[in-house]
Structure formats: structure tokens, C-alpha cells
Amino acid sequence: MDKNRLVKISKYLSYHLRHHPDEIGLELAPGGWVKVADLLAACQNRNFLISPTELATVVANNDKKRFSFNDDGSLIRANQGHSIPVDLQLNPVIPPEVLYHGTGRGAVESILKTGLQKMSRHHVHLSANQETARTVGMRHGSPVVLEINAAAMYQAGYQFYCSENGVWLTDFVPPEYLKNL
Ligand code: HQG
């Protein structure tokens, strides 16, 4: 599939499966799932035609594996990044010793003072490696990578989750666990 078409479908799916399912008449079931048949019908109703093959291609080839099907392929969801209330039914897992968060230079002072907040998302998003964090940070201007002492947070009782596409999630990172690299 043409790269532009892939990105266009991916953006359309992100918008509706993470933020505004209601705009195309969908409701997310627990776990964030919607029926594939309902999604395709809703898209068709809005004159945004997606074929089952195209949908499968986007799920398989999306650059960040943003979406997944359930085992029998009848349901689809966004793996993370939601702004609407949804229980993703992720299990808490033990994090690696350190995790990273990429942000823009302008936010660093505030973050080091008040901690990493989830802002409009469900969780604070963290990366297992610095390179990914830097790429995320570039979305917010001149990138800065912060190191999170995840092991110490875990010891202190904070919970961590890992989405299906390898994004680490937690509710809040207090300033004492943050280091500006
Ligand atoms: C910042 C993309 C000031 C935070 C990426 C970030 C990621 C604060 C911004 C995913 C703050 C929120 C998420 C504080 C946090 N003071 N600023 N106390 N606490 N911030 O987009 O982590 O393409 O909601 O540093 O790859 O940038 O959507 O979060 O800069 O995985 O699949 O507030 O989005 O994935 O921005 O990105 P975002 P994020 P997708």
C-alpha cells in the first residue's frame, strides 16, 4: 500500500479509536475494543472507505504498531494513547531499572519541579531506550531526554504497564525519580 494512504488511515483510526469514537457512532468496549465489522461500516457511512485488507495492512505495518486485533481478528483497538476513559486491562509488570521520557526543552523546568504528569492522556508515556525518547521529544521542539529511576519507583509501590507496542506507562513520576541527562 502507498505510504500516504497508510498514514492517512492510521491517523483516522488513531483519532477515532483513541479520542473520538462517538464522532462515527462507535463506543469502545472494555479493553478499548470495537468490532472490526462495526468500524468498517462506520467508516463507510462517513465516506472514508477502508477495505478489510487495507485495515489488516495498517495494523501489521503501522510504524509504531499502534493498533491490534484480538486473537480471532473480530475486534480491533488502539494499543495506547487514549484520551477518553477506557480500561485497557493491562497487567502491572516489573519495569527495567531505568526508563526514559523525551520532551521539549521548554517543559523541562516545570517537569523537574512538579513531576511528569499524564496531561491529556491516560498515562505518562515512557520509553525503554533513549533513542525512542528523543524521537518522542522532537514532537515538542528541541528534544530533551529525562531518565526515570523506575526500579526505585517500583520499590516505592508505583505501578508500571507495558502496552502491546512496547510503550511503558505509569500514572505519575515524582521529581525525585527524574534526572536530566
Ligand atoms: C509534557 C506518541 C510541563 C510531556 C509518542 C509531554 C508517545 C509536562 C507533554 C505518545 C509536565 C504531553 C505520548 C509538566 C508532562 N509540566 N509539561 N509537569 N508533565 N509534560 O503527546 O509523552 O504517535 O501527551 O513531557 O510516540 O509526548 O501518539 O505525551 O511533552 O508514545 O502513537 O506534556 O504519543 O505516540 O504530550 O507522547 P503527549 P508524549 P503516537
Side-chain angles (χ1 to χ4, degrees), residues 10 26 95:
S10 172
L26 294 173

Side-chain angles (χ1 to χ4, degrees), residues 15-156:
Y15 182 85
H16 292 105
L17 295 178
R18 289 171 165 182
H19 310 298
H20 298 287
D22 50 313
E23 277 186 24
I24 53 171
L26 294 173
E27 204 178 318
L28 303 190
W33 299 106
V34 299
K35 285 188 184 142
V36 169
D38 290 352
L39 173 69
L40 294 177
C43 294
Q44 182 168 357
N45 282 338
R46 267 68 185 180
N47 289 322
F48 191 88
L49 265 180
I50 307 173
S51 74
T53 311
E54 283 182 314
L55 189 66
T57 306
V58 169
V59 171
N61 298 339
N62 180 267
D63 58 348
K64 288 196 195 157
K65 302 259 171 275
R66 291 182 177 89
F67 317 101
S68 45
F69 291 122
N70 69 338
D71 286 345
D72 71 7
S74 63
L75 303 174
I76 184 170
R77 72 170 173 186
N79 289 322
Q80 35 70 222
H82 302 75
S83 58
I84 49 170
V86 57
D87 174 7
L88 287 177
Q89 302 174 325
L90 297 171
N91 296 318
V93 282
I94 302 177
E97 288 279 311
V98 293
L99 286 166
Y100 301 94
H101 177 85
T103 191
R105 189 176 302 281
V108 173
E109 196 186 327
S110 160
I111 292 172
L112 292 178
K113 218 178 274 168
T114 62
L116 265 178
Q117 321 264 354
K118 46 189 159 179
M119 311 306 264
S120 64
R121 310 224 186 210
H122 269 215
H123 297 99
V124 173
H125 287 220
L126 306 172
S127 312
N129 63 71
Q130 293 189 46
E131 197 189 321
T132 309
R134 185 161 298 280
T135 309
V136 173
M138 275 163 31
R139 293 160 57 251
H140 302 282
S142 176
V144 173
V145 175
L146 303 172
E147 188 180 276
I148 289 99
N149 188 343
M153 281 184 69
Y154 183 74
Q155 284 286 327

